Amino acid sequence: MNPIQAGSFLTLHYRLSGPDGADIVNTFNDKPATLSLGAGQLSPAIEKRLVGLPEGARERFELAPGEAFGDRNPELLQWVKLSLLRQLGDPDEAYNVGDVVQFPGPDGQGGYAGVVREMGDSALLFDFNHPLAGQPVSFEVHVIGVL
C-alpha cells in the first residue's frame, strides 16, 4: 500500500470539527475530496498528521488550541473606514456584526475575508483571524487513495 508522503495526491473523506463538536467541513456524506499534500488545501499541522498513513487508513486527530490554524493575533483586528468599503464594494451595502466580507488581495489576485466585530459611526472593526485560530479542532479522515 502507498503511504502518504509530501506531494502525494489524495482521495479521502474527512471531517473537521471545532471545539463544540460541530462540523466545519464534512465530506463523509458526499463525494470524497481530492487534494495534493503540500498545496495549502489543509493546514500544515493536519498535513503533518497525514504523512505516513496508508491507503484505507481511518484516523482521528485532536489538535491543540492554535495548532491547526495558529493563535489569535490581536493585530488582525482592524478598523476599516466605511468610505473605503463603499469604494471597494456595493455603495449601498448594509453591514451587521457577524457579517463576513470579502476583500480583494493587494495584488488584485485572490482575496481574504474579515468578520465584522463592531460598528462605529464611520468605520467597522474587522477580525481577519482564521475563524478557528486559537481553537482546538478535531480531524477525522478515511484515506481512499494515494498517488
Side-chain angles (χ1 to χ4, degrees):
M1 293 191 162
N2 292 333
I4 297 173
Q5 53 191 307
S8 290
F9 188 73
L10 308 175
T11 301
L12 47 76
H13 277 296
Y14 72 96
R15 176 182 298 120
L16 178 69
S17 56
D20 61 358
D23 289 348
I24 310 269
V25 178
N26 183 350
T27 69
F28 282 94
N29 298 322
D30 199 11
K31 295 178 185 173
T34 56
L35 55 92
S36 179
L37 206 67
Q41 295 162 298
L42 297 172
S43 79
I46 291 173
E47 288 189 354
K48 182 179 174 183
R49 297 265 171 66
L50 294 176
V51 171
L53 293 179
E55 288 181 357
R58 291 178 182 262
E59 297 286 337
R60 181 180 173 97
F61 307 107
E62 301 296 328
L63 291 98
E67 185 179 358
F69 298 100
D71 292 321
R72 292 198 52 77
N73 181 348
E75 292 180 15
L76 293 178
L77 290 170
Q78 297 182 6
W79 287 95
V80 177
K81 291 183 178 181
L82 279 169
S83 59
L84 179 61
L85 291 169
R86 306 246 184 269
Q87 178 185 346
L88 293 175
D90 180 350
D92 298 320
E93 182 73 30
Y95 299 97
N96 296 295
V97 171
D99 286 352
V100 177
V101 178
Q102 296 292 324
F103 290 83
D107 59 2
Q109 296 185 18
Y112 54 98
V115 177
V116 177
R117 294 293 181 212
E118 290 181 36
M119 300 179 66
D121 292 335
S122 62
L124 303 177
L125 180 64
F126 281 91
D127 185 348
F128 294 105
N129 283 287
H130 187 284
L132 292 172
Q135 300 291 318
V137 298
S138 295
F139 185 80
E140 181 181 351
V141 65
H142 173 206
V143 180
I144 297 169
V146 179
L147 295 175

